[in-house]
Amino acid sequence: GQNIDQPTEMTATEGAIVQINCTYQTSGFNGLFWYQQHAGEAPTFLSYNVLDGLEEKGRFSSFLSRSKGYSYLLLKELQMKDSASYLCAPTNDYKLSFGAGTTVTVRA
Amino acid sequence: GAGVSQSPSNKVTEKGKDVELRCDPISGHTALYWYRQSLGQGLEFLIYFQGNSAPDKSGLPSDRFSAERTGGSVSTLTIQRTQQEDSAVYLCASSNGRREQYFGPGTRLTVT
């Protein structure tokens, strides 16, 4: 079965840093995706981690520890447009299992 | 190039009616996925097509749900005898093999 745990909501101030944690227990694991989903829109790809460690891409970074079943998404220099839901999705071969998502609200 | 497109964007139907939802994937993408997202919930995997291989239908919630992919491109998700619990946003995604998936805008289905 699949068990993916991430916080439901987080609030942060514009310009700040927020870290969204995700723990997972899945039957089979190849890598982990992070997606961003604005309200009423489709998810868009942010990052993909296969190996342990940190992947940095601009203001967004993602970390993976396969042995701990743990990942986090780090959002730096928060902007108002970063207010969205962030979905953690471990993958087994082609099949992604999505968490319920973390809604991040950025306040001025 | 063009992204994943889905039609209709919204569909309101009466309980018991059949509905067809369409997905046009990104040209050249070999893999196509259908997901369902209920309000405030995560994405629920429904079905996966890869090339000419037999589809993975393990996520379809009941035998009222079926999907086809014709010519390795366009896909149709059919829900027969719709129920109120089928109300959700149905999202289609495509990818080139096992790489990141690109999602369409979704079809919001409301069963009254």
Side-chain angles (χ1 to χ4, degrees):
Chain A
Q2 320 296 332
N3 186 21
I4 301 155
D5 190 32
Q6 51 181 129
T8 305
E9 296 181 340
M10 300 182 76
T11 301
T13 306
E14 199 172 13
I17 298 172
V18 69
Q19 177 174 316
I20 305 168
N21 296 321
C22 172
T23 58
Y24 60 89
Q25 292 176 309
T26 57
S27 53
F29 179 81
N30 292 118
L32 190 141
F33 287 90
W34 283 95
Y35 279 82
Q36 180 191 58
Q37 186 175 27
H38 285 99
E41 298 183 10
T44 55
F45 168 78
L46 288 178
S47 67
Y48 178 50
N49 292 66
V50 176
L51 302 176
D52 285 359
L54 187 68
E55 295 275 347
E56 298 188 76
K57 190 185 294 185
R59 294 188 299 113
F60 294 0
S61 303
S62 56
F63 172 85
L64 176 67
S65 170
R66 296 174 69 113
S67 62
K68 295 182 180 178
Y70 168 69
S71 174
Y72 69 73
L73 180 69
L74 193 69
L75 286 63
K76 294 180 277 190
E77 300 169 19
L78 279 172
Q79 302 176 7
M80 299 299 287
K81 67 179 182 179
D82 297 331
S83 292
S85 181
Y86 292 84
L87 309 175
C88 170
T91 180
N92 177 11
D93 196 8
Y94 56 80
K95 187 179 294 186
L96 271 65
S97 300
F98 284 88
T102 298
T103 299
V104 172
T105 301
V106 182
R107 300 193 189 280
Chain B
V4 178
S5 61
Q6 294 186 243
S7 61
S9 55
N10 279 284
K11 176 72 177 178
V12 179
T13 189
E14 292 180 353
K15 177 181 172 181
K17 300 284 189 182
D18 298 351
V19 295
E20 283 191 354
L21 312 179
R22 177 188 168 103
C23 172
D24 281 272
I26 292 173
S27 177
H29 277 190
T30 57
L32 187 147
Y33 308 75
W34 282 99
Y35 295 89
R36 177 169 71 174
Q37 187 171 33
S38 301
L39 189 64
Q41 303 296 312
L43 277 73
E44 175 188 4
F45 167 82
L46 296 178
I47 188 169
Y48 162 75
F49 295 91
Q50 171 62 51
N52 296 320
S53 302
D56 177 352
K57 304 180 181 180
S58 61
L60 294 178
S62 77
D63 58 9
R64 297 186 295 105
F65 288 71
S66 63
E68 290 185 342
R69 188 178 186 193
T70 55
S73 181
V74 172
S75 177
T76 303
L77 177 69
T78 301
I79 308 173
Q80 296 178 309
R81 305 180 302 281
T82 51
Q83 304 294 312
Q84 287 187 328
E85 61 262 28
D86 299 335
S87 295
V89 175
Y90 289 82
L91 290 161
C92 174
S94 71
S95 70
N96 194 3
R98 294 180 176 82
R99 298 179 63 84
E100 63 267 25
Q101 297 178 22
Y102 293 85
F103 285 82
T107 294
R108 182 175 298 278
L109 175 66
T110 304
V111 182
T112 61

